[in-house]
Amino acid sequence: PPPPPRLRANGLRSQPVRGTGDLINPEDADSPLRPAPSTRPSAPTAAALSLEERIGKRWITWLGALALFVGAAFFVELAVARGWVGRTGSVLGPRFLVASVGAFGLALLVAGSRCARRGLDAPAQGLTGAGLAILYAAVYAGLDTYHLYGSGPAFVAMVGVTALGVTLAVRRDAQAIAVLAVLGGVLTPVLVSSGNHAHSRDILCGYLAVLDLGVLVLAAVRRWRALDLIAFLGTWLSFGGWFLTRYDDAQQAATLAWSGVFFTVFLAVPFAYHLRHRVPLEGGRFASALAAGLCSFGVAAQILGEGHALGAIALGVAAAYAALGAVVRARIPGDQRAALALHVLAVVFVTMAVPLHLDLRAVTVAWALQAPALLYLGWRHRYFPVRALSLVPLGLAALDLASWTWSSRAGALPLWNRDFATAALVPLAAAFAAFLHLGVAQLGDARDRGLRAITTLAAVLGGAVLVHAELAAWLGAHGHAVDARAIGAPLWAAVGLALVRHGLRRRAEPALAAGGLALVVGVATALVAYLEPSTAGVVLANTRFVAAAAAIAAVVLAARDARRASAPAGLVAERAAIAHGAAAFVGWGVLSAEVWQHAGDAGQVALTVTWAAVAVGLIVAGFAARARGYRLAGLALFLLTAAKACLVDLGGTAGSLDRIVSFLALGVLMIGASLIYHRLERRLAG
């Protein structure tokens, strides 16, 4: 019998429960397992409400606070410009203006405190931040714009404002207060400074230093990364603006000192929280530390130029990084990579100091030396990102080397002078990096093999570029313009052939590609040498033709090696066939240009005879190498030569010797080729 109906707790009869053999569908309208409809908003609706809340309650408040500060600053500027307040001698003089601005800032602080007590966090943060920023502006205006007090009282007032801001931000745990206060603080010199005071440098830098020290204190207590970034950018932009517009040589020592102060503060700011709480470091912190060092070093480089003094600055920066690395190692022993990164930065600046003290071309040499140093540290600590980072200074060194001028080497021996020795450090650094990779090849993976290939090719190709540039500059300086253009052809041909053979032996595609590129450069260099007509030397026995012949021969040898090393249907074999055809075409063009430029009035006859002779050579080579393509090319060139004879040579003067010689030679060569063709064809068939 069916089970009796059950009663619910409220006395109403429930639906009978089915037996175990029945299937209950929870989605049925009358199913007891059907879940009740949820009143919670869907995810998109909740996200939309959250975004709306952030915009309506926070972002608008913060932007309004910033606008309040900027508007107050602009109103004060307008009032002073029109003589309403602030002018000396007026009823409402500078003291009244500064006091009014300060009172307005305090009023905003009071309003922010009232909002905080009522739980209105966003308005409280906005009003408090704006009030602190306006207090900074009042103190700075009284010191730098109106000179109402000296640096001592102003310093005390700034410290007080900074301490108040730090206290309020920490007590309320409100990053917005600190951000608005610091943002207003770094904008203050731009908005209220007159720029005419004799000590504006010290006033500006002292003000920024106090502000940054407040940021340093906050950085040790809270991980507010945005605050660090705002202070860093604001400080260096303000200091850089002053440096570019008002610096002179009389301020050298003081400017370097202030730059060192900012470097020290912003070297400590990114690490303060982590060192205090022994928390592992983040990657962005090292970028901030490097940026601080580069900014300070850049200012020193602009002031001192290259030399021993700048080398000492570089050593000082390196010592600071090394000291911080030692502190990190002691405070956070479990984060060895953090100490490594700081030691890497120290090595970067030490390698900058070496060429500066040796009076070499500092930038190029510094970058070149950093590459193997970083690579060594990367292998020493088994950290691939540092090994990959070693390519960056190597690339920068190559870019800086490309800006050098190689136009004159008349007073120096080729390949044996100071400039070339300095430049050679770049490919030598790449070669040393390649040897480092090779020495620990068993410890690396595919990524390290890629780095080794890059550094090897950089060393080989970079060295070829330098030697080519040096020899061409030296020949050009001694009046050998044609030889200067042609000298690179055999050099690049030799490099390309060596790379292709290495790539075929090791089955290394990067080496094959680089070798092909070098061969193309060699052939192109040979062709460029023929752009300008020249009759120097003897036909087929001059520097230009020998260089071109060497480049073409290298292409032919590389193609032959590729055909022997690959199956006929392989990709390498296809490239070899293309290379053979290109070499034949270029050789025909170079030989034609050589004969034409030396033949003078008999140029057309010389071209006809030369083309016919090349056609015979192609047919013979095609039979010797069993290459049908060569034979077809020879026959095509014979047809082209015959067309030239009919269209060009036939139009010469009637009875002229040139025309007679042209046609006789063409006929003899064509008949001879036909005889050779038939005889060799029968021999091959047999």
Side-chain angles (χ1 to χ4, degrees):
R6 296 181 181 180
L7 295 179
R8 293 179 181 170
N10 58 7
L12 299 178
R13 192 172 76 171
S14 65
Q15 296 291 334
V17 180
R18 299 170 182 150
T20 57
D22 298 324
L23 294 177
I24 301 175
N25 184 6
E27 299 301 323
D28 291 342
D30 58 348
S31 172
L33 301 182
R34 180 181 177 86
S38 174
T39 58
R40 182 178 300 176
S42 62
T45 305
L49 290 177
S50 177
L51 178 61
E52 180 181 359
E53 184 179 12
R54 287 197 300 270
I55 296 175
K57 292 184 177 180
R58 298 182 182 181
W59 298 356
I60 296 299
T61 303
W62 299 338
L63 292 175
L66 183 60
L68 190 66
F69 165 74
V70 176
F74 286 162
F75 176 78
V76 170
E77 182 183 11
L78 179 64
V80 173
R82 297 194 176 183
W84 299 341
V85 293
R87 284 188 177 178
T88 304
S90 62
V91 177
L92 303 177
R95 295 182 184 277
F96 173 80
L97 178 61
V98 172
S100 300
V101 173
F104 181 55
L106 290 174
L108 292 179
L109 290 179
V110 173
S113 298
R114 291 175 64 88
C115 290
R117 285 195 297 270
R118 295 181 180 182
L120 304 175
D121 292 338
Q125 295 172 6
L127 292 172
T128 303
L132 291 170
I134 290 175
L135 286 178
Y136 275 124
V139 174
Y140 190 84
L143 174 65
D144 186 59
T145 305
Y146 298 112
H147 323 310
L148 300 179
Y149 35 75
S151 300
F155 180 79
V156 173
M158 290 177 187
V159 171
V161 175
T162 302
L164 178 61
V166 170
T167 302
L168 291 174
V170 173
R171 283 188 59 186
R172 299 180 189 175
D173 196 19
Q175 181 180 1
I177 293 177
V179 168
L180 289 172
V182 173
L183 185 59
V186 298
L187 288 176
T188 292
V190 180
L191 297 175
V192 305
S193 176
S194 65
N196 297 322
H197 196 267
H199 302 291
S200 59
R201 178 204 62 222
D202 294 333
I203 292 173
L204 172 66
C205 295
Y207 167 79
L208 292 173
V210 173
L211 186 66
D212 295 336
L213 288 174
V215 173
L216 176 60
V217 173
L218 277 173
V221 181
R222 295 287 188 270
R223 297 176 70 171
W224 291 340
R225 184 67 179 136
L227 192 66
D228 305 349
L229 183 61
I230 292 172
F232 178 86
L233 293 177
T235 297
W236 284 107
L237 288 176
S238 296
F239 181 71
W242 170 85
F243 179 77
L244 293 175
T245 56
R246 299 182 225 169
Y247 170 78
D248 57 62
D249 292 337
Q251 307 179 73
Q252 182 180 103
T255 303
L256 290 173
W258 281 118
S259 176
V261 169
F262 295 141
F263 165 68
T264 304
V265 171
F266 286 108
L267 182 61
V269 164
F271 303 97
Y273 182 89
H274 299 267
L275 292 175
R276 181 171 180 264
H277 297 277
R278 298 177 181 267
V279 178
L281 291 160
E282 304 164 356
R285 305 295 181 177
F286 302 104
S288 299
L290 177 59
L294 291 177
C295 288
S296 182
F297 186 78
V299 171
Q302 289 293 322
I303 295 175
L304 301 173
E306 296 183 359
H308 298 287
L310 187 60
I313 297 290
L315 287 177
V317 174
Y321 284 130
L324 183 58
V327 173
V328 168
R329 185 184 294 274
R331 292 285 299 173
I332 317 175
D335 193 358
Q336 294 300 317
R337 289 182 176 178
L340 166 64
L342 289 168
H343 290 154
V344 166
L345 295 180
V347 169
V348 167
F349 281 89
V350 167
T351 53
M352 285 186 179
V354 172
L356 289 169
H357 280 290
L358 295 178
D359 290 330
L360 299 175
R361 299 212 185 194
V363 177
T364 306
V365 177
W367 288 122
L369 294 178
Q370 286 169 28
L374 289 175
L375 182 60
Y376 170 77
L377 290 173
W379 278 116
R380 175 70 177 79
H381 295 272
R382 305 290 180 86
Y383 193 39
F384 177 77
V386 174
R387 301 200 294 272
L389 184 65
S390 65
L391 293 181
V392 175
L394 194 63
L396 293 174
L399 289 176
D400 189 71
L401 188 60
S403 66
W404 286 26
T405 301
W406 298 83
S407 59
S408 178
R409 289 291 187 272
L413 292 175
L415 309 179
W416 192 259
N417 56 78
R418 176 178 171 180
D419 285 343
F420 181 79
T422 304
L425 288 176
V426 177
L428 287 176
F432 185 65
F435 278 114
L436 281 178
H437 280 296
L438 186 62
V440 289
Q442 69 278 6
L443 302 178
D445 52 19
R447 299 175 301 175
D448 292 296
R449 289 193 292 273
L451 293 179
R452 185 177 66 190
I454 293 174
T455 52
T456 302
L457 295 178
V460 175
L461 298 180
V465 169
L466 285 183
V467 173
H468 184 185
E470 174 75 3
L471 294 178
W474 189 83
L475 289 171
H478 288 79
H480 304 289
V482 176
D483 294 340
R485 285 191 291 272
I487 193 62
L491 172 65
W492 284 104
V495 170
L497 182 59
L499 286 173
V500 167
R501 288 180 171 176
H502 175 77
L504 293 172
R505 185 169 58 254
R506 299 285 185 177
R507 298 191 178 277
E509 182 63 30
L512 286 174
L517 176 63
L519 290 173
V520 170
V521 172
V523 173
T525 303
L527 294 178
V528 168
Y530 276 93
L531 292 179
E532 182 178 345
S534 174
T535 56
V538 182
V539 62
L540 306 183
N542 54 78
T543 305
R544 182 173 59 169
F545 182 76
V546 171
I552 296 169
V555 173
V556 172
L557 291 175
R560 183 202 62 182
D561 293 343
R563 290 189 62 185
R564 291 177 177 177
S566 174
L571 179 61
V572 176
E574 294 178 5
R575 295 178 186 172
I578 295 174
H580 269 298
F585 181 78
V586 172
W588 168 62
V590 167
L591 186 60
S592 299
E594 176 76 9
V595 171
W596 174 264
Q597 293 180 14
H598 281 82
D601 295 337
Q604 292 296 345
V605 176
L607 274 184
T608 301
V609 176
T610 301
W611 288 8
V614 171
V616 173
L618 287 172
I619 292 174
V620 173
F623 278 113
R626 297 179 182 270
R628 184 167 178 267
Y630 274 6
R631 300 196 298 271
L632 293 178
L635 294 176
L637 185 55
F638 261 131
L639 295 178
L640 179 63
T641 306
K644 174 188 175 296
C646 294
L647 297 176
V648 178
D649 299 351
L650 192 59
T653 305
S656 65
L657 181 62
D658 293 347
R659 186 171 61 175
I660 296 172
V661 171
S662 176
F663 277 91
L664 288 177
L666 177 60
V668 170
L669 289 172
M670 292 183 76
I671 293 173
S674 176
L675 294 174
I676 294 173
Y677 201 100
H678 285 82
R679 185 169 183 177
L680 291 178
E681 188 178 32
R682 291 196 190 97
R683 181 177 298 178
L684 289 178

